């Protein structure tokens, strides 16, 4: 039996990494083989591309080159880590995936959704998650969490202006509304344990007992 692929999505400061860890721990406690990973990154090749993408050194990337780099990092990640794990029956829990490219390089930077999905077809043979947990937080709460986490040290993309992040947020909400079979939208303005409980009940139909 192949495993299940769960992704976490949302803007900066939504609590994705924390919730990915809590879900992975809950699955392990139920005896599952679990791989927890993140994007951009997750494999040595993709982590090297992450550094190119997020470093604040140098001139940075225009929108198209940036989209291609994210697709290249994802291609390596899918081919060498995610698909092999799913094929051996593991659950894969991933902090960000294709919907981040659709929201940031699409909604934020203005590339079309069709182009982003075409890059995903070429790079990753269109692999889609079984479920995508979209963590929705209010802008005030996201700002508060980011100030606690990052201080003034945002990366190249996290440091973009608030209009950019507002477009990203709107894009995530649109994708979640368009595809309710894949997306689970969770209000995430609460304490981590409370958000985790909401996620567990939203995924109940899929989870092993
Ligand atoms: P990261 O430190 O993982 O951000 P966060 O902790 O906020 O999730 O940095 C990832 C950054 O890269 C984040 O600003 C979102 C951006 N990103 C894209 O623009 N496109 C993508 O496809 C992915 C995976 C991430």
């Amino acid at each position: 039996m192949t495993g299940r692929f769960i992704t976490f999505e949302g803007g900066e400061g939504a609590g994705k990494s924390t919730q990915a860890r809590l879900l992975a721990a809950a699955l392990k406690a139920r005896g599952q083989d679990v791989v927890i990973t993140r994007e951009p990154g997750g494999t040595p090749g993709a982590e090297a591309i992450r550094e190119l993408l997020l470093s604040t050194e140098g001139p940075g990337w225009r929108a198209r080159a940036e989209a291609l780099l994210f697709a290249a990092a994802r291609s390596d990640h899918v081919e060498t880590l995610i698909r092999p794990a799913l094929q051996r029956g593991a659950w894969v829990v991933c902090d960000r995936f294709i919907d981040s490219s659709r929201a940031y390089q699409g909604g934020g930077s203005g590339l079309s959704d069709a182009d982003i999905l075409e890059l995903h077809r070429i790079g990753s043979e269109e692999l889609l998650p079984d479920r995508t947990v979209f963590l929705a937080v209010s802008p005030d709460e996201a700002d508060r969490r980011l100030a606690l986490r990052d201080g003034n040290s945002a990366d190249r993309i996290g440091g973009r202006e608030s209009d950019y992040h507002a477009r990203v947020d709107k894009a995530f909400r649109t994708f979640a509304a368009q595809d309710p079979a894949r997306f689970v939208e969770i209000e995430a303005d609460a304490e981590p344990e409370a958000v985790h409980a909401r996620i567990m009940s939203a995924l109940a139909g899929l989870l092993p007992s």
Side-chain angles (χ1 to χ4, degrees), residues 12 16 50 70 74 96 100-101 104-105 149 157:
E12 320 282 316
K16 295 176 300 298
R50 176 188 177 92
F70 276 112
R74 183 164 301 124
R96 297 194 181 279
S100 280
S101 286
Y104 285 78
Q105 285 64 53
R149 187 187 75 175
I157 296 176

Side-chain angles (χ1 to χ4, degrees), residues 12 104 157-169:
E12 320 282 316
Y104 285 78
I157 296 176
R160 287 178 184 162
E161 80 276 18
S162 58
D163 280 6
Y164 183 93
H165 291 289
R167 292 197 298 278
V168 167
D169 184 63

Side-chain angles (χ1 to χ4, degrees), residues 49-149:
I49 298 174
R50 176 188 177 92
E51 186 58 29
L52 292 175
L53 278 161
L54 299 184
S55 163
T56 48
E57 310 266 301
W61 306 98
R62 300 296 175 89
R64 287 171 189 279
E66 186 177 280
L68 285 158
L69 285 168
F70 276 112
R74 183 164 301 124
S75 174
D76 189 68
H77 191 207
V78 166
E79 198 163 334
T80 68
L81 184 84
I82 297 176
R83 281 200 199 272
L86 293 172
Q87 275 156 12
R88 70 166 195 265
W91 284 63
V92 176
V93 176
C94 189
D95 181 354
R96 297 194 181 279
F97 193 65
I98 179 63
D99 301 300
S100 280
S101 286
R102 299 173 71 203
Y104 285 78
Q105 285 64 53
S109 302
L111 297 193
S112 76
D113 200 41
D115 280 354
I116 302 287
L117 291 172
E118 178 71 358
L119 295 182
H120 191 50
R121 185 186 67 74
I122 296 166
S124 301
E125 297 173 291
E126 300 177 286
L127 177 68
L128 284 182
D130 294 293
R131 289 287 187 287
T132 296
V133 179
F134 167 48
L135 296 179
V137 284
S138 65
D140 285 354
E141 178 62 14
D143 284 351
R144 196 186 66 77
R145 292 181 191 179
L146 278 180
L148 282 177
R149 187 187 75 175

